[in-house]
Amino acid sequence: MEKKYKDITQECFFFDKAVSIWIALLICISLALVYWLVYETGGVKYVFSHTSYLPILFAGIFFGVYGGGITGIIAGVLLGPLMPLDTVTGEVQVFSNWALMTFYFSLVGGTIGIISDKLKSNMLKIRYISTHNVDTGFYNMSSLYFDKKIKKFLSRGVSINVLSISWKNADEITNNFGLKTSIAIVKEFNSRLKRKFNKKYVFLHSELSKLYSLIECNTPNICLQEIEKLASEAFIINGIPYHIDFSFGLTQYDYSKSALDPFQKANLAALYAKKTNKKSSVFNENSLKDIKSNLKLLGEFPLAIQSNRILLHYQPVYDLQTKETHSVEALARWDHRKKGLLEPLFFIPLVEESSLIHLFTSFVIEEALKQIIQFNKHHLYPTLSLNLSKKVLFDFVFLNSILELLTQYDVKTEHLELEIPESVIMEDPEKLILVLRKIKSHHIKISIDGFGKGKSSLSYLHRLPIDTIKIDQSLIHQLDLKQGAYATIEAIVRLAHQLNLKVVAKGIENLETEKFLQEMGCDFGQGFLYSKALNAADSLAWLKEYSPKIT
């Protein structure tokens, strides 16, 4: 860091080398003028000898302790052995007189120099801190306006691109392994970029999870592919490998004053990549329109809840053996004023990534409990299943609010089933087990949704306090196409039954698939073969016809 301070001193402390030469020349001229003035006014014994303090002070201010001290010695010699005490009589100064004067001159110059050096050092540290990230020492965003090296890089007359680097699991790494590990990862990624692009890039560290780089690049898509490859390799920190999840956005550095600066564009490209489950994206106007549209949709969502335009439809879950409806899954729809009836895919992923997920989940649970009461009034008692986002799953305060709603509506907990996405299991299995045990202690049914789609969670299945696993429809759709899919589903059904769990196959669309599942002993099926998701009135009619009645 000290080296960087010196570099800044040479580069930007108010003057460059050329200016320093001019100041040194002016100090030399000032010393000559002082010598002339003292000689012409009669010699050292008169007051004009004190004017020598002016060049000494300036030398100390501009050139520090050495400059001030040396200038003081030069002034002492000029006004000492080279200057008579009285020019009229020609009386020469005694050695002790001019030696003491030289000492005082150098002392004053050196003292001023020490004070000046200290002030410069403090100012340079402030300058460094304002233009660099304190943790990593890399440039921050302020350096774009104050650092000459970056300005020089941007004015090279070549194609410069802004790379936005969004570190998606930064908080997870920092919370579990500490800030030092996260800093080491940032430094390692910078080293990889440096090896690849050498002097054709500048690395910027804005905040822990947000990084940037200015890169000289003529082929943006190829550059992104190379950067993705650099990021895909495991980061080995202190012998421990870490998987780091980045999203990248790239755009050309725009020197014109447009509505969006290049860093905003790069951020939007990275956001678009994240929203579309891609690793990277190059900015274009179409992606900007999509993002703006999504943000506008998200802004309309609270009012949609207040005005009851978020509707629940219910898709029946069919017993493959008795041919009766066993349960229903609540699926949200948005009756948008302009866009019509929106499927969950168009708005739930947006809501899940925002703080609105708590408002939405509370609304859905409350509406579902009201519907359970309506079913019960008609002597219909299906289990009603609801999907829980991982954001609310690990929020114990929110889980308590669910229990309060159950008490408020006087609904038996066994009529409610909460669906947990399989992807959550591998993220933090131990914490998940604690959460599920708390839910299960209140006799609420629990199912794992989307089973077989993500990373293998079989090793944890026997430890989870659950009732049902729901095989993902992507696996069911392959059933009549791939022999491997048949063996996989059959193994899942067999394992689930050994663990006393029920199995639901989602996405059944034809009789052949149903037959395969029946042969395997799968318990329940769900899909368009039986029914699409129905509104409240139609689902009530369906249940009256296809579900067992309890009187």
Side-chain angles (χ1 to χ4, degrees), residues 22 37 46 101 168 217 257 272 289 294 353 361 410 428 471 497 541:
W22 278 105
L37 178 65
Y46 296 102
M101 180 177 61
K168 293 189 283 188
C217 177
K257 293 183 179 180
Y272 182 78
K289 289 177 182 177
N294 288 340
E353 292 181 4
T361 307
D410 194 24
D428 195 341
I471 303 174
H497 288 166

Side-chain angles (χ1 to χ4, degrees), residues 31-59:
L31 287 170
L33 288 173
V34 168
Y35 179 85
W36 175 81
L37 178 65
V38 173
Y39 189 87
E40 291 295 321
T41 54
V44 175
K45 72 177 185 179
Y46 296 102
V47 72
F48 291 102
S49 62
H50 293 294
T51 56
S52 58
Y53 281 113
L54 290 175
I56 293 172
L57 289 174
F58 279 111

Side-chain angles (χ1 to χ4, degrees), residues 65-90:
V65 61
Y66 296 111
I70 291 171
T71 303
I73 293 172
I74 294 172
V77 172
L78 288 174
L79 300 185
L82 301 180
M83 175 69 68
L85 186 65
D86 190 328
T87 56
V88 177
T89 62

